[in-house]
Amino acid sequence: MSGDEQPVGIDELLERVRAGYERIKPQEAYEAAQGGEVLLVDIRYAALRERDGLIPGALVVERNELEWRLDPQGSHRAPEATSHDLRVVVICNEGYASSLAAESLRRLGLYRATDLVGGFQAWRTEGLPVTSGVGPPPAGHAVHAP
């Protein structure tokens, strides 16, 4: 930030970030995932996943590992990170942190990255599938820091 720029508050930053792409609603995300059109990526921390459950088929990636795991050119990428054309739907607890995470992925060239309006809580409220969060994530979904 240069000396003549004013700091931006988080509410304004979220508004600016969200203006740059179209967010997706839970039912639409569910249908797209069922059709293999999107990769759902759950960035909630472990305590929330254990408390509230998991979205079946979602890739679990801690927020601090997201860019390393989803960069198709990265040395620490997840097997699911196949190309910059991948349509990623980032899911946090209530749909705030996921907006900033989606913007970060877009800066890495994942131009179709978006996030879930209302996050996991909206998914669950709409009655979409959730499995128990007790125990470790499904095989292949646990991610470790680079």
Side-chain angles (χ1 to χ4, degrees), residues 8-21 99-100:
V8 176
I10 189 62
D11 293 330
E12 183 178 341
L13 179 61
L14 271 175
E15 188 176 311
R16 288 181 186 181
V17 163
R18 290 173 174 169
Y21 64 90
S99 295
L100 300 176

Side-chain angles (χ1 to χ4, degrees), residues 6 8 10 18-19 35 43 56 64 70 72 75 84 91 124 137 141:
Q6 294 298 311
V8 176
I10 189 62
R18 290 173 174 169
I43 63 168
N64 64 324
L70 274 281
S75 59
H84 285 96
I91 303 165
R124 186 171 64 173
H141 289 248

Side-chain angles (χ1 to χ4, degrees), residues 18 21 23-24 88-90 95-96 98-99 102 113-117:
R18 290 173 174 169
Y21 64 90
R23 301 176 78 209
I24 190 169
V88 175
V89 177
V90 182
Y96 295 99
S98 58
S99 295
T114 187
D115 74 312
L116 189 69
V117 175

Side-chain angles (χ1 to χ4, degrees), residues 56-72:
L59 176 67
V60 174
V61 179
E62 296 283 340
R63 172 60 191 101
N64 64 324
E65 300 173 4
L66 183 67
E67 292 81 0
W68 284 268
R69 298 301 181 201
L70 274 281
D71 179 3

Side-chain angles (χ1 to χ4, degrees), residues 123-144:
W123 178 281
R124 186 171 64 173
T125 297
E126 288 202 21
L128 296 169
V130 174
T131 61
S132 168
V134 178
H141 289 248
V143 183
H144 305 285

Side-chain angles (χ1 to χ4, degrees), residues 18-115:
R18 290 173 174 169
Y21 64 90
E22 188 174 329
R23 301 176 78 209
I24 190 169
K25 293 182 179 175
Q27 186 64 44
E28 183 184 352
Y30 172 71
E31 291 169 7
Q34 291 298 105
E37 301 166 28
V38 302
L39 174 63
L40 302 177
V41 179
D42 186 345
I43 63 168
R44 294 174 300 142
Y45 54 90
L48 289 177
R49 294 191 311 266
E50 290 169 9
R51 182 189 77 188
D52 295 337
L54 299 166
I55 295 173
L59 176 67
V60 174
V61 179
E62 296 283 340
R63 172 60 191 101
N64 64 324
E65 300 173 4
L66 183 67
E67 292 81 0
W68 284 268
R69 298 301 181 201
L70 274 281
D71 179 3
Q73 299 174 336
S75 59
H76 297 285
R77 72 175 183 82
E80 294 86 349
T82 55
S83 81
H84 285 96
D85 192 47
L86 184 64
R87 187 171 179 211
V88 175
V89 177
V90 182
I91 303 165
C92 67
N93 195 47
E94 294 182 343
Y96 295 99
S98 58
S99 295
L100 300 176
E103 170 65 13
S104 181
L105 291 178
R106 294 172 74 83
R107 287 183 179 189
L108 276 177
L110 291 150
Y111 67 95
R112 298 178 70 202
T114 187
D115 74 312

